[in-house]
Amino acid sequence: MSEVPFVMPLLRDGVNPVEELGALRSEQPIVQLEIPGIGVKVWLVTRYDDVKAFLGDHARFSNDFSKVTEAGELQMLLQQDPGGLGMIDPPDHSRLRKILTPEFTMRRLRRLVPKIDAIVAAQLDEVEKAGQGADLVEHYAMPIPALVICDLLGVPYEERDEFQKHSQDRFNFTGDFSDSLGEIGESLKYMGGVVAKIRQNPNDGLIGQIIAEHGDAITDVELAGLADGILTGGHETTASMISLAAHVLMKNPDHVALMRDGDDKQVSDIVDELLRYLTVVQVPFPRLAKEDLVLGGQQIKAGELVIGSLVAANRDESLGANMDEFVPERGSMSHLAFSYGIHRCIGAELGRMELRQALPALFKRFPTLQHQGPIDETEFRMFSIVFGIESLPVAW
């Protein structure tokens, strides 16, 4: 095949990955791309088994770039530590994840259901108040996860606009890595201020609870990184899923009816199929090979960078028939929408919970909800690590 552009894993045709990505998975499942402007090459992995293999292999692949001396030219990109769990290895990763894990068990998360329901109901009122042509992104999809995370972390609701800005800006790829890294720095600076305020005046949110339980054993820098990871991992992704899921469901009245009237099991299965089909997080955190190794028959040298296309992996025909189609009755399966291994999204169950509450409620309030204007004019967010919709005007 001809040279593959670096942005290919971020390109879509509607909600589907571009055909060229599927062709890569079939013909050249591990291919080298070049990062524009700096000449550094990375391996793109597209087959399900290969993506799952390297995501689950923290013994041979590192997320902590600062400890991989073979990174060479990549060091210029790694001066900004993004904080959180995404780019650290055990034992630091294990210690910090252990602090967070109790807050994301189903038992703990169930206490959020009444709050989520109240937030959903309030935003449905906002959609109705906005009237015909209301933008579902602005009035529904974006505010719900922002308000849920504000409540979870113990951050005042009035700061949700600041939340949304930091969450969205860092995922857009314009070709200039310094812009993305600068946004990471701004986000961490903001969250550091939030942590400092809560340490002085603790509340019963997640940040306050961690401070109360662990005190000085966790630093403000570490805690800001964890909180920032929850914000960026749980806001933009869930907002994109709500709007994209509504877009997909509204194309077929039978699918709307299933979501609106289905029992808990049916709704859960539809949500899981939407997660697989849409795979809004297009690529996970990159990995660096710690040693010379072979992945999927491809020789990879120590210090080389590897990324995976989660959407290509989740459409792999090895998983079953018609994987390029949305099939509500498919049921739950072992997809990679939340990544895999020790870096699997810690807030996966919270995201699922928000979708299971927000989507049926939307179509119960507006059973005739439909796109306002031609569906094929829907404006998608391109060149973004988190795929989404810019706006979604609706009528009912």
Side-chain angles (χ1 to χ4, degrees), residues 275-349:
L275 286 163
R276 179 205 68 82
Y277 178 68
L278 293 167
T279 311
V280 296
V281 178
Q282 309 209 76
V283 294
F285 286 107
R287 268 63 166 176
L288 278 162
K290 294 182 179 180
E291 60 189 58
D292 292 348
L293 55 90
V294 176
L295 175 67
Q298 175 64 54
Q299 179 72 44
I300 295 174
K301 296 179 181 178
E304 290 187 328
L305 183 64
V306 182
I307 59 173
S309 171
L310 298 181
V311 66
N314 280 339
R315 301 291 188 96
D316 195 325
E317 55 272 13
S318 69
L319 296 175
N322 305 317
M323 300 307 291
D324 278 323
E325 298 177 15
F326 169 60
V327 182
E329 300 84 5
R330 194 188 304 276
S332 299
M333 61 184 304
S334 182
H335 60 69
L336 302 177
F338 293 112
S339 193
Y340 182 73
I342 65 170
H343 289 282
R344 183 180 183 272
C345 176
I346 198 168
E349 295 312 314

Side-chain angles (χ1 to χ4, degrees), residues 91-300:
D92 292 336
H93 177 273
S94 305
R95 176 177 64 86
L96 293 175
R97 192 172 180 105
K98 186 177 180 180
I99 290 173
L100 276 185
T101 297
E103 301 303 321
F104 289 93
T105 61
M106 282 306 299
R107 184 178 63 83
R108 292 281 185 96
L109 290 175
R110 284 193 190 99
R111 77 185 191 280
L112 294 176
V113 171
K115 176 63 69 174
I116 293 173
D117 285 342
I119 290 170
V120 166
Q123 293 312 131
L124 287 170
D125 291 342
E126 290 299 314
V127 173
E128 191 160 13
K129 189 186 302 181
Q132 304 295 325
D135 180 2
L136 210 63
V137 174
E138 177 185 354
H139 296 291
Y140 199 66
M142 292 292 280
I144 289 172
L147 293 171
V148 169
I149 293 176
C150 280
D151 189 76
L152 176 69
L153 293 178
V155 176
Y157 285 178
E158 55 267 25
E159 296 195 26
R160 66 184 181 274
D161 289 341
E162 190 80 7
F163 260 48
Q164 292 178 185
K165 176 185 181 301
H166 290 301
S167 177
Q168 186 173 28
D169 288 353
R170 69 195 296 168
F171 290 121
N172 293 329
F173 175 72
T174 61
D176 187 345
F177 283 92
S178 62
D179 289 346
S180 297
L181 293 174
E183 180 52 43
I184 291 171
E186 287 299 311
S187 185
L188 287 169
K189 181 179 177 181
Y190 161 73
M191 198 58 73
V194 170
V195 168
K197 290 177 185 176
I198 295 177
R199 196 177 282 274
Q200 290 179 350
N201 298 287
N203 55 34
D204 59 359
L206 185 147
I207 295 174
Q209 289 176 0
I210 290 176
I211 291 171
E213 184 172 348
H214 298 276
D216 293 335
I218 183 168
T219 68
D220 280 7
V221 171
E222 290 175 327
L223 192 47
L226 293 180
D228 184 65
I230 293 169
L231 162 64
T232 56
H235 174 251
E236 187 70 14
T237 53
T238 304
S240 291
M241 271 302 305
I242 292 172
S243 55
L244 283 165
H247 166 72
V248 169
L249 292 168
M250 286 189 296
K251 293 179 179 181
N252 188 322
D254 292 338
H255 295 169
V256 167
L258 275 174
M259 178 59 76
R260 183 187 65 231
D261 303 327
D263 59 28
D264 290 347
K265 172 69 163 56
Q266 289 172 313
V267 168
S268 181
D269 284 349
I270 297 169
V271 164
D272 215 49
E273 170 67 353
L274 285 164
L275 286 163
R276 179 205 68 82
Y277 178 68
L278 293 167
T279 311
V280 296
V281 178
Q282 309 209 76
V283 294
F285 286 107
R287 268 63 166 176
L288 278 162
K290 294 182 179 180
E291 60 189 58
D292 292 348
L293 55 90
V294 176
L295 175 67
Q298 175 64 54
Q299 179 72 44
I300 295 174

Side-chain angles (χ1 to χ4, degrees), residues 350-371:
L350 175 59
R352 280 194 172 103
M353 182 182 293
E354 291 176 81
L355 292 169
R356 290 195 298 259
Q357 304 303 113
L359 292 172
L362 175 65
F363 293 109
K364 285 175 182 175
R365 175 72 74 92
F366 305 108
T368 60
L369 195 72
Q370 58 189 306
H371 296 83

